[in-house]
Each structure stands twice: as C-alpha cells, then as structure tokens.
Amino acid sequence: AIPVCTPGIADRLGSPGDLGGQTLLHVVGFEIGWPHWLAHVGEPDLADSTRAILCDTTVAVLDLARRGEGVALVRSSFAADALRRQDLSVPFEQALELDEAFHLVQPAKAAPRPEAEAFRVWLIEEADAAR
C-alpha cells in the first residue's frame, strides 16, 4: 500500500509527520489501512488525530485524492494509471506490503457464460502482465 495525492499536496509533504495537517482518505474494509501504514513509518499517533474521510470503494478514494481532498492509501496497482498520467504522486517512498489477495471463483459443474469466460481470460492476462 502506498500513499497518493495530487502533486501540489505532495510538494508540501516532507515527511510522514506532515500528514497531521492533511485529510486521510480511507477505504472501508481495507484491512491494511492508515493506522498500519502510520505505525510502519513511526507516526502511529496520527491515526487518531488526523481528519479522515471514509469511502466504500477505492474508486471513490482515488477520485477524492485527484480532486485534492486529501491523501489516499491504496494498492499501487490501483493507482498505476493516475500515477502514469501524473494526476497523482507518491509523496513518500515508504510502502506497506499487503498480505491480502483476490480470488476469482466459478462453479465447478457449470460452464461459464461467454461473457464470464472472456472476463476470466482478460483478468488472468492483466494479472500476468502486472507481474
């Protein structure tokens, strides 16, 4: 997991301690969130003292970050396009390894619909390309 924000906000952040003046954007259900990242970088007290916005999806958090509403903590793969376009920046090099995983399942006894099979093939190709 990496923090991301607009380049303008990133320019004002010299160290993780500077997050105290920022809004931290959280994804509900993201097990490794800001409290873990802040503890990892030696700033555990900021988790309880910093303004936060909770969103239900990573898409919403990234949108708020792009609008300059705060600093998001997301999987690097989810922010890759915005980072490539330079809509977002990574203000600190500290990243937190994730032990979460995603799984694609399908019924063992039923053939998938063509659309589901096309999605499965595409997803596997994307995952292989990201390695």
Side-chain angles (χ1 to χ4, degrees):
I2 57 170
V4 295
C5 57
T6 62
I9 291 174
D11 289 344
R12 297 192 305 262
L13 300 173
S15 71
D18 294 338
L19 288 170
Q22 298 296 318
T23 299
L24 301 183
L25 305 171
H26 296 261
V27 178
V28 175
F30 185 32
E31 295 298 320
I32 304 295
W34 278 113
H36 295 287
W37 189 89
L38 290 166
H40 176 71
V41 298
E43 297 287 349
D45 296 338
L46 287 180
D48 294 326
S49 63
T50 304
R51 183 170 174 248
I53 295 177
L54 297 165
C55 297
D56 61 346
T57 67
T58 301
V59 171
V61 163
L62 287 171
D63 187 51
L64 286 171
R66 269 191 227 94
R67 294 172 186 237
E69 298 296 329
V71 182
L73 185 70
V74 296
R75 290 172 179 83
S76 58
S77 59
F78 290 173
D81 286 341
L83 292 170
R84 200 170 18 261
R85 289 189 313 268
Q86 299 180 342
D87 293 342
L88 295 174
S89 294
V90 179
F92 315 110
E93 293 303 316
Q94 295 96 328
L96 190 58
E97 288 293 319
L98 302 176
D99 60 1
E100 296 177 322
F102 294 97
H103 301 275
L104 179 64
V105 297
Q106 66 186 45
K109 295 182 181 183
R113 294 190 330 236
E115 301 89 354
E117 180 59 18
F119 175 71
R120 184 188 72 76
V121 168
W122 173 83
L123 190 59
I124 290 169
E125 288 170 355
E126 289 293 310
D128 287 342
R131 288 185 197 176

